[in-house]
């Protein structure tokens, strides 16, 4: 319950006060690497393969802690919804002037009809409503809110029964 209240407060603060940004230049590559490595032991314990491909020394002007939270949400989601002995890939690269951060995992994937709904508060697909995965359906709503705060775009693509990939594009 404490986690739920904290997540709701965080989401509300971000939505209601987008002008209270604490943006500064930071090494996004380092932040992505450190956040990803925080999940390495859990992935090993769960028999999942966590891989990463991070372009070095990419700097970004934004809220570093919020960007770390965003990535944590996406990796946590991938850990929960990847299949047994699943694969999780974290990629950070630059395309023209845009920064692209993606998290892909093997597993049940997502239907086309759910791709936009999953970013709504409290939305959980039928596949994720089991006691095993838990959650309140706020993680991806928070991820979208953080992305919006940074004037970015988050999308979900995938193939049912095979994989899902979340991509965050930042300018």
């Amino acid at each position: 319950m404490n986690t739920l209240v904290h997540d709701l407060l965080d989401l509300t603060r971000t939505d209601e006060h987008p002008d209270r940004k604490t943006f500064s230049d930071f090494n996004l590559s380092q932040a992505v690497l450190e956040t990803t490595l925080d999940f390495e032991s859990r992935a090993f314990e769960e028999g999942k393969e966590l891989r990463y491909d991070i372009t070095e020394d990419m700097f970004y002007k934004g809220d570093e802690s919020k960007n770390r939270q965003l990535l944590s949400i996406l990796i946590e989601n991938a850990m929960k919804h990847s299949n047994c002995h699943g694969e999780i890939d974290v990629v950070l690269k630059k395309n023209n002037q845009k920064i692209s951060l993606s998290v892909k995992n093997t597993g049940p994937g997502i239907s086309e009809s759910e791709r936009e709904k999953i970013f709504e508060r409290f939305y959980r697909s039928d596949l994720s409503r089991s006691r095993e995965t838990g959650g309140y359906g706020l993680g991806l709503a928070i991820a979208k809110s953080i992305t919006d705060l940074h004037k970015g775009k988050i999308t979900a693509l995938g193939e049912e029964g095979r994989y899902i990939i979340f991509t965050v594009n930042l300018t």
Side-chain angles (χ1 to χ4, degrees):
M1 190 58 84
N2 191 25
T3 304
L4 173 62
V5 171
H6 179 268
D7 287 349
L8 280 170
L9 286 172
D10 193 42
L11 189 55
T12 301
R13 274 188 222 112
T14 303
D15 287 349
E16 288 183 358
H17 303 289
D19 55 325
R20 291 190 187 168
K21 300 183 245 188
T22 53
F23 283 10
S24 60
D25 289 319
F26 69 97
N27 188 330
L28 181 61
S29 301
Q30 190 65 34
V32 169
L33 178 62
E34 289 171 3
T35 304
T36 302
L37 292 177
D38 286 344
F39 287 88
E40 205 168 42
S41 62
R42 178 175 163 198
F44 177 78
E45 289 171 5
E46 294 181 14
K48 298 176 182 186
E49 186 176 356
L50 177 60
R51 302 179 295 220
Y52 51 90
D53 180 11
I54 300 168
T55 301
E56 292 183 18
D57 294 324
M58 287 180 52
F59 287 83
Y60 180 69
K61 184 169 186 157
D63 185 322
E64 182 175 357
S65 66
K66 292 277 187 203
N67 278 279
R68 286 176 183 262
Q69 180 184 15
L70 166 63
L71 180 57
S72 291
I73 289 167
L74 295 178
I75 295 175
E76 177 69 32
N77 192 66
M79 295 288 290
K80 281 183 183 180
H81 299 289
S82 60
N83 53 4
C84 185
H85 305 292
E87 300 167 357
I88 300 163
D89 294 299
V90 177
V91 177
L92 177 68
K93 62 185 175 182
K94 196 164 201 167
N95 292 329
N96 298 323
Q97 296 302 315
K98 291 187 179 183
I99 293 172
S100 175
L101 171 66
S102 64
V103 178
K104 177 183 179 182
N105 66 275
T106 57
I110 186 168
S111 69
E112 192 172 333
S113 64
E114 290 185 299
R115 289 185 188 159
E116 291 301 317
K117 294 177 191 174
I118 59 174
F119 296 109
E120 295 172 8
R121 294 176 191 189
F122 303 110
Y123 182 82
R124 297 189 308 172
S125 68
D126 289 336
L127 294 172
S128 70
R129 290 186 185 194
S130 71
R131 291 179 189 253
E132 295 152 14
T133 58
Y136 296 100
L138 288 174
L140 293 175
I142 293 170
K144 183 175 183 335
S145 180
I146 293 169
T147 304
D148 291 347
L149 178 70
H150 288 84
K151 308 286 189 239
K153 181 172 172 93
I154 186 169
T155 57
L157 296 173
E159 188 176 321
E160 280 188 273
R162 297 200 58 218
Y163 71 92
I164 187 167
I165 182 168
F166 289 93
T167 303
V168 177
N169 289 308
L170 302 169
T171 53

